[in-house]
């Protein structure tokens, strides 16, 4: 079982930036799928971004609402992956969760496809 610990959330003004980190232990993130979801009050958890990794390929995917503003990346040496969030908007306010699967997922936007989850970190964007 992979244990995920998030950090980097906080309060930022609209137009600002934050970088979320997700440190993993229990399994090396050398393959499979790493993702970020978010959940705003009163709303369902929604897909934000995913990174899929095989021995010879790395692909990234983003929700339309964050495309061009958010970037998912990884640091293999730290067994950590990140979500760089730029040009933040008030509608980005939510609890952000990191998640992983050891598989190369096809259904990257489906939360129930993932096997391990972080505890969540609050991101608040003020207008």
């Amino acid at each position: 079982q992979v244990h995920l610990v998030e950090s980097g959330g906080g309060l930022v003004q609209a137009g600002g930036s934050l970088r979320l980190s997700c440190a993993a232990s229990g399994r090396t993130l050398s393959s499979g799928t790493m993702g970020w979801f978010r959940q705003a009050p009163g709303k369902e958890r929604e897909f934000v971004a995913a990174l899929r990794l095989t021995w010879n390929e790395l692909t990234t995917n983003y929700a339309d609402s964050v495309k061009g503003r958010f970037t998912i990346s990884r640091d293999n040496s730290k067994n950590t992956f990140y979500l760089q969030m730029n040009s933040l908007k008030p509608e980005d306010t939510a609890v952000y969760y990191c998640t992983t699967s050891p598989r190369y997922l096809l259904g990257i936007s489906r939360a129930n496809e993932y096997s391990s989850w972080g505890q969540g970190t609050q991101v608040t964007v003020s207008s």
Side-chain angles (χ1 to χ4, degrees), residues 43-93:
K43 295 187 177 181
E44 293 187 354
R45 192 170 297 191
E46 66 172 0
F47 169 77
V48 175
L51 183 155
R52 290 179 290 181
L53 187 64
T54 67
W55 68 275
N56 67 341
E57 182 182 21
L58 186 154
T59 60
T60 57
N61 299 89
Y62 299 91
D64 288 343
S65 59
V66 307
K67 203 170 292 183
R69 300 188 297 123
F70 290 12
T71 302
I72 187 171
S73 63
R74 63 185 276 272
D75 185 333
N76 192 43
S77 66
K78 297 180 179 179
N79 212 34
T80 298
F81 62 102
Y82 306 94
L83 185 68
Q84 177 66 45
M85 305 185 293
N86 298 329
S87 302
L88 283 161
K89 304 175 182 180
E91 51 263 43
D92 294 319
T93 295

Side-chain angles (χ1 to χ4, degrees), residues 11 16 19 29 35-36 42 46 53 58 65-66 79 94 104 113 115 120:
L11 173 64
R19 188 178 79 157
L29 300 178
W36 290 93
E46 66 172 0
L53 187 64
L58 186 154
S65 59
V66 307
N79 212 34
Y104 186 95
E113 294 281 347
S115 52

